[in-house]
DNA sequence: CATCTTTTTGGTAGTCACTGTCATTTACTA
DNA sequence: TAGTAAATGACAGTGACTACCAAAAAGATG
């Protein structure tokens, strides 16, 4: 019961075969993402279109399956490293780990990026997936630091971490693999550490008037609560 | 010649009518995004499907047109304010300006967000649009600060600014409009200013070995702002 | 091994977003 | 008023994706 039966083995074989054939058709020496129909993919993988749709409900899910093999590293590495390292180090290493995978297989990574640039829907899926990653990371960070998941500083940190990851990958892709993505990420981290952030340290109050958080009441004369809330 | 002829007037009327009818059908008391076919929209707007496709090449472009009316404020306000204010203030005001528009029309904003959650393709378009915004902002910032557009600190600043904008909007949406988006944005800015950023100040080099960028040889002054690292 | 059940597969028909073409109508112009 | 260029609408596709049903394959049971 524990070992895979003939059924599951076949299914796994089919899944791998579909991804391989599809990616070959999509990028590189193939015919491009848009002009590769699901029928063609099915034919290349020796199954019927119906069955293909049963394995992958949408065309872009094939690309996503390929992409997730890389990004899955993130949460994994972070969860492991955070046990023995300070949070910020674990975060950095998780970022480097994902980028290292892409560095190791530049052809595959560039192909995925190429497909992404061809298909808005694929991009949408990636975005959704990043949202999930962010959600997950937020919870992990909250747990490590003993804060609530809806803490704004946690939220911001998770967002920025993933933004650094994406930014480094973007710049790497734009340079066609010439600049090291890990180097770029390291520079971003240094910039963050040094405080490049361009935000005013005063005067935001008048612009964001009425910016009271949560259930703070409608009592108008409590302007000072604002500063108390934000000074923490 | 300069004044709009009958043709352009009619076209404008059609555009407005299409957007209005479509948005009514998509959200709120309508029948939802997916189940509203282009044919139905055409019928509601009193034109043929062919003509509808001539006005809006894709279904999601109708949503996007509605969304852009808000986000267009960003570059506009920034370009204007940066003339008389320091860059960081102008950036903050641009963010607040966009959020203010959403605050002013919460029903419309929530509807757009609802549609976005229904359609991956619409999300993809929004993402693409954000990419353009980021590109534009990067150039604007570079010009203001006298740096090259491919400067990493510029790149990072633009990304973070838009991330703050999106984050505030996200949180506002998740709270169904209860928390002030401008207040949240202000808090994010404060956190950034105080240096919440969780990144190590040493040891990144060994992980990102070989990560040498153009002029990265320049060793920067080590400012340890990190003393305030969130260790609570 | 034969039989029964469950899962997997393939085929068929349909919906809908979107494209291309072409004749017709409509707004502008000489 | 006639002529031109643009806008429109009808029609016929293509391709992603869905729903449905019958046949084949895998597993369980006698």
């Amino acid at each position: 019961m524990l070992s895979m039966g003939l059924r599951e083995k076949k299914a796994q074989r089919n899944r791998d075969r579909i991804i391989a054939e599809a990616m070959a058709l999509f990028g590189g020496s193939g015919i491009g993402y848009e002009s590769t129909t699901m029928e063609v993919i099915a034919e290349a993988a020796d199954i019927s279109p119906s069955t293909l749709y049963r394995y992958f409900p949408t065309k872009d899910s094939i690309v996503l399956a390929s992409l997730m093999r890389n990004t899955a590293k993130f949460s994994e590495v972070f969860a492991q490293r955070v046990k023995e390292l300070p949070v910020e180090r674990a975060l950095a290493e998780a970022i480097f780990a994902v980028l290292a995978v892409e560095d190791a297989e530049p052809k595959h990574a560039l192909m995925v990026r190429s497909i992404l640039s061809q298909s808005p829907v694929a991009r949408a899926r990636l975005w959704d997936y990043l949202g999930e990653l962010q959600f997950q990371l937020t919870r992990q960070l909250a747990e490590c630091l003993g804060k609530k998941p809806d803490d704004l500083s946690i939220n911001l940190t998770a967002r920025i971490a993933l933004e650094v990851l994406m930014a480094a990958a973007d710049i790497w892709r734009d340079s066609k693999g010439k600049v090291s993505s890990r180097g770029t990420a390291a520079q971003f981290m240094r910039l963050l550490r040094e405080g490049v952030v361009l935000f005013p340290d005063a005067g935001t109050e008048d612009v964001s008037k009425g910016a009271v958080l949560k259930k703070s009441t409608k009592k108008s004369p409590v302007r000072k609560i604002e500063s108390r809330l934000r000074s923490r």
Side-chain angles (χ1 to χ4, degrees), chain A residues 100-117:
Chain A
V101 174
E102 296 210 331
D103 263 6
E105 295 178 11
K107 250 176 55 185
H108 178 264
L110 278 176
M111 185 193 298
V112 170
R113 295 264 158 195
S114 155
I115 295 168
L116 283 174
S117 71

Side-chain angles (χ1 to χ4, degrees), chain A residues 96 98-106 109-110 113 164-188:
Chain A
F96 288 134
V98 174
L99 295 176
V101 174
E102 296 210 331
D103 263 6
E105 295 178 11
L110 278 176
R113 295 264 158 195
V164 166
L165 178 59
M166 292 306 294
D170 279 353
I171 289 174
W172 175 81
R173 179 207 51 200
D174 290 344
S175 78
K176 284 167 189 162
K178 284 184 181 176
V179 301
S180 154
S181 55
R182 274 174 289 177
T184 308
Q187 289 224 344
F188 276 137

Side-chain angles (χ1 to χ4, degrees), chain A residues 2-75:
Chain A
L2 271 180
S3 71
M4 282 199 298
L6 224 173
R7 247 172 199 163
E8 292 163 69
K9 265 185 185 172
K10 194 176 163 189
Q12 189 58 48
R13 227 180 7 247
N14 274 345
R15 240 188 302 274
D16 292 343
R17 187 174 178 80
I18 292 171
I19 292 182
E21 297 287 348
M23 295 300 285
L25 286 166
F26 288 162
S29 50
I31 48 182
Y33 182 80
E34 294 296 343
S35 48
T36 302
T37 71
M38 287 295 265
E39 204 181 340
V40 172
I41 299 175
E43 196 182 348
D46 271 322
I47 53 175
S48 77
S50 305
T51 307
L52 173 55
Y53 274 107
R54 228 162 252 128
Y55 278 91
F56 293 96
T58 63
K59 193 165 145 183
D60 48 272
S61 65
I62 305 177
V63 181
L64 193 67
S66 189
L67 185 81
M68 288 209 308
R69 290 179 177 172
N70 289 355
T71 42
K73 278 248 164 204
F74 190 89
S75 301

Side-chain angles (χ1 to χ4, degrees), chain A residues 63-90:
Chain A
V63 181
L64 193 67
S66 189
L67 185 81
M68 288 209 308
R69 290 179 177 172
N70 289 355
T71 42
K73 278 248 164 204
F74 190 89
S75 301
E76 185 189 322
V77 169
F78 177 75
Q80 183 198 337
R81 290 310 182 94
V82 82
K83 292 174 186 169
E84 51 194 58
L85 292 174
V87 180
E88 59 270 23
R89 285 298 301 270

